[in-house]
Amino acid sequence: MSHFAGPHLFRSIVAACRRRVALGLAGVLAAGLVWGGFEIERMRQVALQRYGAAAADAVELWRNSVGGWRDLAEEEQLRRVNEFFNRRTRFADDTVVWAQADYWATPLETLGRGAGDCEDFVFAKYFTLRELGVAEGRLRMTYVRARIGGPASSITQAHMVLSYYPTPEAVPLVLDNLITEIRPASARPDLAPVFSFNMQGVFVGGAAQASTPVDRVSRWRELILRMRSEGYTP
């Protein structure tokens, strides 16, 4: 396990808007090839070239699923997204999937390989929910110490889950690749939060305010850069 604001973000937003307008004039948006920050046709082609036809089909299924979830209530969107990735993705260590000790995979890479570790599940769910319109402030990728072996066990291991805050003061709901049922954090005594992060920054423990900019997390910067090369504009 391991581990934007200002002019750069403004330029990214302007560039994304210009591109979407141009695509709209060309009729591409109407065809459903682009939604939000994702250029789906480009992603399909990348998946096909890297991983084969099954991976391209997985991207298409993801697109179609998200399209069917857009008008659902937010908590139902959480459930659908959580189940989609938990059921379609096989858990495997980075050493097995990527031949690296620690690798943060993009959603496309996770769909392409059909496997990933806990962080990869979280990133795929996070970006899918953001595409569905869930507010940034409601989602945090949370590192925890997970107790294993039962309530009396003192054995813990590093783990990552996705936390959803209905309101800033609420007890978050936990989306976990180990347990498909979404439960409030208060019902997960086996998880002890260490720190969490989203595009707003890094939060220590259960803090409500970010203490560090997220771009200080080098693996996050690398992840976003790879996603851009695949057809994503944050």
Side-chain angles (χ1 to χ4, degrees):
M1 297 297 154
S2 72
H3 316 107
F4 264 168
H8 176 72
L9 178 57
F10 179 77
R11 288 195 298 270
S12 296
I13 293 171
V14 170
C17 289
R18 286 174 177 170
R19 181 172 58 255
R20 290 169 196 165
V21 169
L23 289 171
L25 292 174
V28 177
L29 281 173
L33 299 182
V34 177
W35 32 265
F38 294 93
E39 297 179 33
I40 295 300
E41 185 56 31
R42 179 177 172 185
M43 293 180 71
R44 287 185 70 258
Q45 291 301 318
V46 171
L48 180 63
Q49 292 167 7
R50 289 184 185 175
Y51 309 110
D57 290 344
V59 171
E60 184 68 13
L61 177 61
W62 179 50
R63 180 188 73 84
N64 291 338
S65 297
V66 170
W69 299 336
R70 290 193 181 279
D71 295 329
L72 299 177
E74 204 158 270
E75 287 202 19
E76 182 63 16
Q77 290 176 335
L78 297 179
R79 187 182 71 80
R80 298 290 184 97
V81 170
N82 197 52
E83 289 184 353
F84 180 88
F85 287 103
N86 283 6
R87 291 177 176 176
R88 291 188 54 83
T89 309
R90 174 176 55 86
F91 177 84
D93 288 332
D94 288 334
T95 53
V96 175
V97 181
W98 300 106
Q100 297 184 32
D102 188 28
Y103 184 81
W104 285 13
T106 69
L108 173 59
E109 290 172 330
T110 299
L111 288 165
R113 290 291 175 91
D117 67 1
C118 59
E119 296 154 339
D120 304 331
F121 280 84
V122 168
F123 301 144
K125 294 172 186 179
Y126 167 81
F127 284 107
T128 301
L129 288 167
R130 289 292 292 121
E131 173 58 33
L132 284 167
V134 177
E136 179 70 39
R138 293 188 174 187
L139 298 170
R140 294 189 201 172
M141 294 154 280
T142 306
Y143 266 111
V144 299
R145 297 297 304 180
R147 186 177 65 247
I148 57 177
S153 175
S154 61
I155 302 173
T156 63
Q157 66 180 20
H159 185 48
M160 185 187 276
V161 297
L162 183 62
S163 301
Y164 168 81
Y165 293 77
T167 66
E169 300 79 19
V171 173
L173 298 176
V174 176
L175 286 69
D176 191 347
N177 65 288
L178 300 178
I179 302 174
T180 296
E181 180 186 1
I182 298 175
R183 301 176 184 175
S186 56
R188 294 297 306 274
D190 56 315
L191 305 180
V194 178
F195 73 91
S196 60
F197 63 98
N198 59 21
M199 287 288 196
Q200 297 174 338
V202 179
F203 304 77
V204 178
Q209 298 296 322
S211 59
T212 307
V214 71
D215 59 7
R216 297 282 183 87
V217 183
S218 61
R219 290 191 183 278
W220 179 255
R221 295 197 306 268
E222 295 166 3
L223 176 70
I224 295 299
L225 286 172
R226 277 186 282 114
M227 288 184 65
R228 286 174 174 166
S229 72
E230 296 167 351
Y232 173 71
T233 303

Coordinates of all heavy atoms in Angstrom, one line a residue, residues 104-160:
W104 N -0.7 2.7 -8.6 CA -2.1 3.3 -8.6 C -2.6 3.2 -10.0 O -2.2 4.0 -10.9 CB -2.1 4.7 -8.1 CG -1.9 4.8 -6.6 CD1 -1.5 3.8 -5.7 CD2 -2.1 5.9 -5.8 NE1 -1.4 4.3 -4.5 CE2 -1.8 5.6 -4.5 CE3 -2.5 7.2 -6.0 CZ2 -1.9 6.5 -3.4 CZ3 -2.6 8.1 -5.0 CH2 -2.3 7.8 -3.7
A105 N -3.6 2.3 -10.3 CA -4.1 2.1 -11.6 C -5.2 3.1 -11.9 O -6.0 3.5 -11.0 CB -4.6 0.7 -11.8
T106 N -5.3 3.5 -13.2 CA -6.4 4.4 -13.6 C -7.7 3.5 -13.8 O -7.6 2.2 -13.9 CB -6.1 5.0 -15.0 OG1 -6.1 4.0 -16.0 CG2 -4.8 5.7 -15.0
P107 N -8.9 4.1 -13.8 CA -10.1 3.3 -14.1 C -10.0 2.5 -15.3 O -10.4 1.3 -15.4 CB -11.2 4.3 -14.1 CG -10.7 5.4 -13.3 CD -9.2 5.5 -13.5
L108 N -9.4 3.0 -16.4 CA -9.2 2.3 -17.6 C -8.3 1.1 -17.5 O -8.6 0.0 -18.0 CB -8.7 3.2 -18.7 CG -8.3 2.5 -20.1 CD1 -9.5 1.9 -20.7 CD2 -7.7 3.5 -21.0
E109 N -7.3 1.3 -16.7 CA -6.3 0.1 -16.5 C -7.0 -1.0 -15.7 O -6.8 -2.2 -16.0 CB -5.1 0.6 -15.8 CG -4.2 1.5 -16.7 CD -3.1 2.2 -16.0 OE1 -3.2 2.4 -14.7 OE2 -2.0 2.4 -16.6
T110 N -7.8 -0.6 -14.7 CA -8.5 -1.6 -13.9 C -9.6 -2.3 -14.7 O -9.7 -3.5 -14.6 CB -9.2 -0.9 -12.7 OG1 -8.2 -0.3 -11.9 CG2 -10.0 -1.9 -11.8
L111 N -10.3 -1.6 -15.5 CA -11.3 -2.2 -16.4 C -10.6 -3.1 -17.4 O -11.0 -4.2 -17.7 CB -12.1 -1.1 -17.2 CG -13.1 -0.3 -16.4 CD1 -13.5 0.9 -17.2 CD2 -14.3 -1.2 -16.1
G112 N -9.4 -2.7 -17.9 CA -8.7 -3.5 -18.9 C -8.1 -4.8 -18.4 O -8.2 -5.8 -19.0
R113 N -7.6 -4.7 -17.2 CA -7.0 -5.9 -16.5 C -8.1 -6.7 -15.8 O -7.9 -7.9 -15.6 CB -5.9 -5.5 -15.6 CG -4.7 -5.0 -16.2 CD -4.0 -6.1 -17.0 NE -2.8 -5.6 -17.7 CZ -1.6 -5.6 -17.3 NH1 -1.3 -6.0 -16.0 NH2 -0.6 -5.1 -18.0
G114 N -9.2 -6.1 -15.4 CA -10.2 -6.8 -14.7 C -9.8 -7.2 -13.3 O -10.4 -8.1 -12.7
A115 N -8.8 -6.5 -12.8 CA -8.2 -6.9 -11.5 C -7.5 -5.6 -10.9 O -7.1 -4.7 -11.7 CB -7.2 -8.0 -11.6
G116 N -7.4 -5.6 -9.6 CA -6.7 -4.5 -8.9 C -6.7 -4.7 -7.4 O -7.4 -5.6 -6.9
D117 N -5.9 -3.9 -6.8 CA -6.0 -3.9 -5.3 C -7.0 -2.9 -4.8 O -7.7 -2.2 -5.5 CB -4.6 -3.7 -4.7 CG -4.0 -2.3 -4.9 OD1 -4.7 -1.5 -5.5 OD2 -2.8 -2.1 -4.5
C118 N -7.0 -2.7 -3.5 CA -8.0 -1.9 -2.9 C -8.0 -0.4 -3.4 O -9.1 0.2 -3.6 CB -7.9 -1.9 -1.3 SG -6.3 -1.3 -0.7
E119 N -6.8 0.1 -3.6 CA -6.7 1.5 -4.1 C -7.4 1.6 -5.5 O -8.0 2.6 -5.8 CB -5.3 1.9 -4.2 CG -4.6 2.0 -2.8 CD -3.1 1.7 -2.9 OE1 -2.6 1.2 -3.8 OE2 -2.5 2.1 -1.9
D120 N -7.2 0.6 -6.3 CA -7.7 0.6 -7.7 C -9.2 0.6 -7.7 O -9.9 1.3 -8.5 CB -7.1 -0.5 -8.5 CG -5.6 -0.5 -8.5 OD1 -5.0 0.6 -8.4 OD2 -5.0 -1.6 -8.6
F121 N -9.8 -0.2 -6.8 CA -11.3 -0.2 -6.6 C -11.7 1.2 -6.3 O -12.7 1.7 -6.8 CB -11.7 -1.2 -5.5 CG -11.7 -2.6 -5.9 CD1 -10.6 -3.4 -5.9 CD2 -12.9 -3.2 -6.3 CE1 -10.6 -4.7 -6.2 CE2 -13.0 -4.6 -6.6 CZ -11.8 -5.3 -6.6
V122 N -11.0 1.8 -5.3 CA -11.5 3.2 -4.8 C -11.4 4.2 -5.9 O -12.3 5.0 -6.1 CB -10.6 3.6 -3.6 CG1 -10.8 5.0 -3.3 CG2 -10.9 2.7 -2.4
F123 N -10.3 4.2 -6.7 CA -10.2 5.2 -7.8 C -11.3 5.1 -8.8 O -11.8 6.0 -9.3 CB -8.8 5.2 -8.4 CG -7.7 5.4 -7.4 CD1 -6.5 4.7 -7.6 CD2 -7.8 6.3 -6.4 CE1 -5.4 4.9 -6.7 CE2 -6.8 6.5 -5.5 CZ -5.6 5.8 -5.6
A124 N -11.5 3.8 -9.2 CA -12.6 3.6 -10.2 C -13.9 4.0 -9.7 O -14.7 4.7 -10.5 CB -12.6 2.1 -10.5
K125 N -14.2 3.8 -8.5 CA -15.5 4.2 -7.9 C -15.6 5.7 -7.8 O -16.6 6.3 -8.1 CB -15.7 3.5 -6.5 CG -15.9 2.0 -6.6 CD -15.9 1.4 -5.2 CE -15.9 -0.1 -5.3 NZ -15.9 -0.7 -3.9
Y126 N -14.5 6.3 -7.3 CA -14.5 7.8 -7.1 C -14.7 8.5 -8.4 O -15.6 9.4 -8.5 CB -13.1 8.1 -6.5 CG -12.8 9.6 -6.5 CD1 -13.3 10.5 -5.5 CD2 -12.0 10.2 -7.5 CE1 -13.0 11.8 -5.6 CE2 -11.7 11.5 -7.5 CZ -12.2 12.4 -6.6 OH -11.9 13.7 -6.6
F127 N -14.0 8.2 -9.5 CA -14.1 8.9 -10.7 C -15.5 8.6 -11.4 O -16.0 9.5 -12.1 CB -13.0 8.6 -11.7 CG -11.7 9.3 -11.3 CD1 -10.6 8.6 -10.7 CD2 -11.5 10.6 -11.5 CE1 -9.5 9.2 -10.3 CE2 -10.4 11.3 -11.1 CZ -9.3 10.6 -10.5
T128 N -16.0 7.4 -11.2 CA -17.3 7.1 -11.7 C -18.4 8.0 -11.0 O -19.3 8.5 -11.7 CB -17.7 5.6 -11.6 OG1 -16.6 4.9 -12.3 CG2 -19.0 5.3 -12.2
L129 N -18.3 8.1 -9.7 CA -19.3 8.9 -9.0 C -19.2 10.3 -9.3 O -20.2 11.1 -9.4 CB -19.2 8.6 -7.5 CG -19.7 7.2 -7.0 CD1 -19.2 6.9 -5.6 CD2 -21.2 7.2 -7.1
R130 N -18.0 10.8 -9.5 CA -17.8 12.2 -9.9 C -18.4 12.4 -11.2 O -19.0 13.5 -11.5 CB -16.3 12.6 -9.9 CG -15.6 12.7 -8.6 CD -16.1 13.8 -7.7 NE -15.7 15.1 -8.3 CZ -16.5 16.1 -8.7 NH1 -17.8 15.9 -8.7 NH2 -16.0 17.2 -9.3
E131 N -18.3 11.5 -12.2 CA -18.9 11.6 -13.5 C -20.4 11.6 -13.4 O -21.1 12.3 -14.1 CB -18.5 10.4 -14.4 CG -19.2 10.3 -15.7 CD -19.0 11.6 -16.5 OE1 -17.9 12.2 -16.5 OE2 -19.9 11.9 -17.3
L132 N -21.0 10.9 -12.4 CA -22.4 10.9 -12.2 C -22.9 12.2 -11.5 O -24.1 12.4 -11.4 CB -22.8 9.7 -11.3 CG -22.8 8.4 -12.0 CD1 -22.9 7.2 -11.0 CD2 -24.0 8.3 -13.0
G133 N -22.0 13.1 -11.1 CA -22.4 14.4 -10.5 C -22.3 14.5 -9.0 O -22.7 15.5 -8.4
V134 N -21.8 13.4 -8.4 CA -21.6 13.5 -6.9 C -20.6 14.6 -6.6 O -19.5 14.6 -7.2 CB -21.2 12.1 -6.3 CG1 -21.0 12.3 -4.8 CG2 -22.3 11.1 -6.6
A135 N -20.9 15.5 -5.7 CA -20.1 16.6 -5.4 C -18.7 16.1 -4.8 O -18.6 15.2 -4.0 CB -20.7 17.5 -4.3
E136 N -17.7 16.9 -5.2 CA -16.3 16.5 -4.8 C -16.2 16.5 -3.2 O -15.6 15.6 -2.7 CB -15.3 17.6 -5.3 CG -13.9 17.4 -4.9 CD -13.3 16.2 -5.5 OE1 -13.5 16.0 -6.7 OE2 -12.5 15.5 -4.9
G137 N -16.8 17.4 -2.6 CA -16.7 17.5 -1.1 C -17.4 16.3 -0.4 O -17.2 16.1 0.8
R138 N -18.2 15.5 -1.1 CA -18.8 14.4 -0.5 C -18.0 13.1 -0.5 O -18.4 12.1 0.1 CB -20.2 14.1 -1.1 CG -21.2 15.3 -0.8 CD -22.6 14.9 -1.3 NE -23.5 15.9 -0.9 CZ -24.9 15.8 -1.1 NH1 -25.4 14.7 -1.6 NH2 -25.7 16.8 -0.6
L139 N -17.0 13.1 -1.3 CA -16.2 11.9 -1.5 C -14.7 12.1 -1.1 O -14.1 13.1 -1.3 CB -16.2 11.5 -3.0 CG -17.5 11.2 -3.6 CD1 -17.4 11.1 -5.2 CD2 -18.1 9.9 -3.1
R140 N -14.2 11.1 -0.4 CA -12.8 11.1 0.0 C -12.3 9.6 -0.1 O -13.0 8.7 0.3 CB -12.6 11.5 1.5 CG -13.0 13.0 1.8 CD -12.5 13.3 3.1 NE -13.2 14.5 3.7 CZ -13.1 14.9 4.9 NH1 -12.3 14.3 5.8 NH2 -13.8 16.0 5.3
M141 N -11.1 9.5 -0.6 CA -10.4 8.3 -0.7 C -9.6 8.2 0.7 O -8.8 9.0 1.0 CB -9.4 8.3 -1.9 CG -10.2 8.3 -3.2 SD -9.3 9.0 -4.6 CE -9.5 10.8 -4.3
T142 N -9.9 7.1 1.4 CA -9.5 7.1 2.8 C -8.6 5.9 3.1 O -9.0 4.7 2.9 CB -10.7 7.0 3.8 OG1 -11.6 8.1 3.5 CG2 -10.3 7.1 5.2
Y143 N -7.4 6.2 3.5 CA -6.5 5.1 4.0 C -6.9 4.8 5.5 O -7.1 5.7 6.3 CB -5.1 5.6 4.0 CG -4.3 5.2 2.7 CD1 -3.9 6.2 1.8 CD2 -4.1 3.9 2.5 CE1 -3.3 5.8 0.7 CE2 -3.4 3.5 1.3 CZ -3.0 4.5 0.4 OH -2.4 4.1 -0.8
V144 N -7.0 3.5 5.7 CA -7.4 3.0 7.1 C -6.4 1.9 7.5 O -5.7 1.3 6.7 CB -8.8 2.5 7.1 CG1 -9.8 3.6 6.7 CG2 -8.9 1.3 6.2
R145 N -6.4 1.7 8.8 CA -5.8 0.5 9.3 C -7.0 -0.5 9.6 O -7.9 -0.2 10.3 CB -5.1 0.7 10.7 CG -3.9 1.7 10.6 CD -2.8 1.2 9.7 NE -2.3 -0.1 10.1 CZ -1.3 -0.8 9.4 NH1 -0.8 -0.3 8.3 NH2 -0.9 -2.0 9.9
A146 N -7.0 -1.6 8.8 CA -8.1 -2.6 8.9 C -7.7 -3.7 9.8 O -6.6 -4.4 9.6 CB -8.4 -3.1 7.5
R147 N -8.5 -3.9 10.8 CA -8.2 -5.1 11.8 C -8.7 -6.3 11.1 O -9.8 -6.4 10.6 CB -9.0 -4.8 13.1 CG -8.6 -5.9 14.1 CD -9.3 -5.6 15.5 NE -10.8 -5.7 15.4 CZ -11.6 -4.7 15.5 NH1 -11.1 -3.5 15.8 NH2 -12.9 -4.8 15.4
I148 N -7.9 -7.3 11.1 CA -8.2 -8.6 10.6 C -8.2 -9.7 11.6 O -7.4 -9.6 12.6 CB -7.3 -9.0 9.4 CG1 -5.9 -9.0 9.8 CG2 -7.5 -8.1 8.2 CD1 -4.9 -9.4 8.7
G149 N -9.0 -10.7 11.5 CA -9.0 -11.8 12.5 C -10.0 -11.7 13.6 O -9.9 -12.4 14.6
G150 N -11.0 -10.8 13.5 CA -12.0 -10.7 14.5 C -11.9 -9.6 15.5 O -10.8 -8.9 15.5
P151 N -12.9 -9.3 16.3 CA -12.9 -8.1 17.2 C -11.8 -8.1 18.2 O -11.3 -7.1 18.6 CB -14.3 -8.2 17.9 CG -15.1 -9.0 17.0 CD -14.2 -10.0 16.3
A152 N -11.3 -9.3 18.6 CA -10.3 -9.4 19.6 C -8.9 -9.4 19.0 O -7.9 -9.3 19.8 CB -10.4 -10.7 20.4
S153 N -8.8 -9.3 17.7 CA -7.5 -9.4 17.0 C -6.7 -8.0 17.2 O -7.4 -7.0 17.1 CB -7.6 -9.8 15.6 OG -6.4 -9.7 14.9
S154 N -5.4 -8.1 17.3 CA -4.6 -6.9 17.3 C -3.9 -6.8 16.0 O -3.0 -5.9 15.8 CB -3.6 -7.0 18.4 OG -2.8 -8.1 18.3
I155 N -4.2 -7.6 15.0 CA -3.5 -7.6 13.7 C -4.2 -6.7 12.8 O -5.4 -6.7 12.6 CB -3.5 -9.0 13.1 CG1 -2.8 -10.0 14.0 CG2 -2.8 -9.0 11.7 CD1 -2.8 -11.5 13.6
T156 N -3.5 -5.7 12.2 CA -4.0 -4.8 11.2 C -3.2 -4.7 10.0 O -2.0 -5.2 10.0 CB -4.1 -3.3 11.8 OG1 -2.8 -2.9 12.1 CG2 -4.9 -3.3 13.1
Q157 N -3.8 -4.2 8.9 CA -3.1 -4.1 7.7 C -3.6 -2.8 7.0 O -4.7 -2.3 7.2 CB -3.3 -5.2 6.7 CG -4.7 -5.4 6.2 CD -4.8 -6.6 5.3 OE1 -4.0 -7.5 5.3 NE2 -5.9 -6.7 4.5
A158 N -2.7 -2.2 6.2 CA -3.1 -1.0 5.4 C -4.2 -1.3 4.4 O -4.1 -2.4 3.8 CB -1.9 -0.4 4.7
H159 N -5.2 -0.4 4.3 CA -6.3 -0.7 3.4 C -6.8 0.7 2.9 O -6.6 1.7 3.6 CB -7.4 -1.5 4.1 CG -8.5 -1.9 3.3 ND1 -8.4 -2.5 2.0 CD2 -9.9 -1.8 3.5 CE1 -9.6 -2.7 1.6 NE2 -10.5 -2.3 2.4
M160 N -7.5 0.7 1.8 CA -8.2 2.0 1.3 C -9.6 1.7 1.0 O -10.0 0.7 0.4 CB -7.5 2.6 0.1 CG -8.1 3.9 -0.3 SD -7.4 4.6 -1.9 CE -5.9 5.3 -1.3

